[in-house]
């Protein structure tokens, strides 16, 4: 009944690692699904919940609509006329993450889950990082972006990530001391990282 949280830099392969963990352990992946669950709880549109996160990118979000493919842009940019208060959003995410953790057998990507579930038993926090050049290469390959587009996307998401954590009152999200395991995918491929995470979870069960 364990839970793995993954905090990651965009383009470092955190979601890919999360999917592989779920495949190996039979867990359920929660990423954009959290936005859908929050929308259901709040009885507002999915886009309106996502817009709280999208606004964290600030003014740079304007040019992203021109450089990103539709599939990626849908997640990061599109907005709805409805709205949801930031404080309500944070409370909803806390509630949903705790509900997921209570059920167990889950991998949660981002959404400050490492803070929400801090110091709780059977929760393992993983940070996935990579050098910018490798993040750019990953985004070029997986999102069909040019090198310049990929770099801009990574830099924009770094700002979005920082601003989103501010909504939770946190700033030390990249401090290794917060995590059970830090994986640098510039030095270790995702498959090796997968082995480490699965061994950590299995040995602690």
């Amino acid at each position: 009944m364990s839970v793995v949280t993954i905090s990651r830099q965009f383009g470092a392969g955190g979601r890919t690692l999360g999917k592989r963990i779920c495949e190996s352990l039979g867990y359920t992946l929660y990423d954009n699904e959290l936005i859908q669950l929050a929308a259901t709880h709040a009885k507002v549109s999915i886009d309106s919940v996502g817009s709280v996160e999208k606004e964290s990118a600030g003014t740079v979000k304007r040019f992203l609509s021109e450089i990103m493919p539709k599939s990626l842009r849908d997640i990061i940019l599109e907005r709805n006329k409805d709205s949801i208060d930031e404080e309500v959003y944070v409370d909803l995410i806390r509630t949903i993450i705790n509900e997921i953790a209570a059920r167990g057998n889950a991998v949660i990507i981002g959404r400050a889950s490492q803070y929400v579930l801090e110091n709780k038993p059977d929760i393992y926090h993983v940070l996935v990082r990579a050098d910018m050049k490798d993040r750019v290469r990953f985004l070029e390959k997986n999102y069909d972006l040019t090198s310049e587009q990929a770099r801009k996307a990574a830099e924009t998401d770094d700002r979005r990530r920082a601003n989103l954590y501010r909504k939770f009152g946190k700033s030390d999200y990249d401090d290794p001391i917060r995590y059970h395991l830090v994986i640098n995918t510039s030095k270790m491929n995702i498959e090796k990282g997968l082995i480490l995470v699965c061994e950590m979870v299995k040995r602690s069960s």
Side-chain angles (χ1 to χ4, degrees):
M1 296 293 289
S2 300
V3 172
V4 177
T5 74
I6 297 180
S7 178
R8 83 283 189 236
Q9 293 177 319
F10 189 45
R15 180 176 171 84
T16 301
L17 175 63
K19 290 173 66 176
R20 294 289 289 113
I21 293 169
C22 289
E23 291 168 0
S24 296
L25 299 179
Y27 283 10
T28 300
L29 182 69
Y30 294 91
D31 185 3
N32 296 317
E33 292 85 354
L34 287 177
I35 294 179
Q36 295 174 338
L37 287 169
T40 300
H41 277 252
K43 297 183 180 179
V44 295
S45 71
I46 292 171
D47 282 347
S48 71
V49 177
S51 70
V52 175
E53 296 187 0
K54 296 160 198 167
E55 286 184 0
S56 298
T59 57
V60 294
K61 68 179 181 289
R62 289 195 296 271
F63 70 75
L64 282 178
S65 61
E66 300 175 358
I67 69 168
M68 285 189 175
K70 179 74 171 178
S71 59
L72 184 57
R73 200 164 68 236
D74 284 347
I75 299 173
I76 298 178
L77 292 173
E78 290 188 347
R79 301 188 56 184
N80 189 280
K81 292 182 180 178
D82 298 337
S83 64
I84 181 172
D85 182 81
E86 286 183 8
E87 188 173 339
V88 173
Y89 167 78
V90 169
D91 287 343
L92 281 170
I93 290 298
R94 288 184 188 277
T95 298
I96 291 167
I97 288 174
N98 276 296
E99 289 177 355
I100 292 170
R103 291 194 295 269
N105 294 348
V107 174
I108 304 174
I109 307 291
R111 303 319 192 280
S113 52
Q114 75 273 39
Y115 293 106
V116 176
L117 301 177
E118 189 174 19
N119 298 322
K120 293 194 175 184
D122 298 319
I123 309 292
Y124 304 95
H125 305 298
V126 178
L127 173 64
V128 182
R129 304 196 63 182
D131 295 338
M132 178 59 79
K133 62 181 176 58
D134 295 312
R135 294 168 62 193
V136 168
R137 189 178 300 116
F138 181 90
L139 292 171
E140 287 178 310
K141 178 181 178 180
N142 291 278
Y143 292 102
D144 192 27
L145 300 175
T146 67
S147 178
E148 181 181 359
Q149 290 170 344
R151 180 173 295 275
K152 287 181 179 179
E155 291 172 347
T156 296
D157 198 76
D158 284 347
R159 289 188 284 270
R160 178 208 61 80
R161 187 166 170 249
N163 289 334
L164 180 60
Y165 276 112
R166 289 192 191 103
K167 299 180 192 303
F168 286 83
K170 303 296 183 180
S171 61
D172 61 345
Y173 49 88
D174 277 343
D175 187 341
I177 201 169
R178 304 211 64 88
Y179 302 90
H180 294 83
L181 181 64
V182 179
I183 297 173
N184 181 348
T185 53
S186 291
K187 299 182 181 299
M188 174 187 296
N189 65 36
I190 289 174
E191 288 304 311
K192 288 182 179 178
L194 170 67
I195 292 171
L196 289 176
V197 175
C198 290
E199 280 297 312
M200 176 177 65
V201 173
K202 289 175 180 177
R203 290 192 178 193
S204 301
S205 300

